[in-house]
Amino acid sequence: MFKGIDLFSDTMTQPTQAMKQAMMDAELGDEQKGEIPPPCS
């Protein structure tokens, strides 16, 4: 019996159109350099 972590589904999952749109709409930059606000602010 396999007792490790099964990551197979992570390699088979396809992003939805909404997920792709969220990636396209995401603000780009480096929060450590102050280019964008932290994600939890």
Side-chain angles (χ1 to χ4, degrees), residues 9-37:
S9 65
D10 288 348
T11 62
M12 300 299 292
T13 304
Q14 297 292 315
T16 64
Q17 188 59 41
M19 294 166 88
K20 290 178 183 179
Q21 190 62 51
M23 289 184 265
M24 294 296 294
D25 294 342
E27 195 173 353
L28 301 177
D30 187 331
E31 68 182 67
Q32 299 298 318
K33 295 180 181 177
E35 296 172 350
I36 59 170

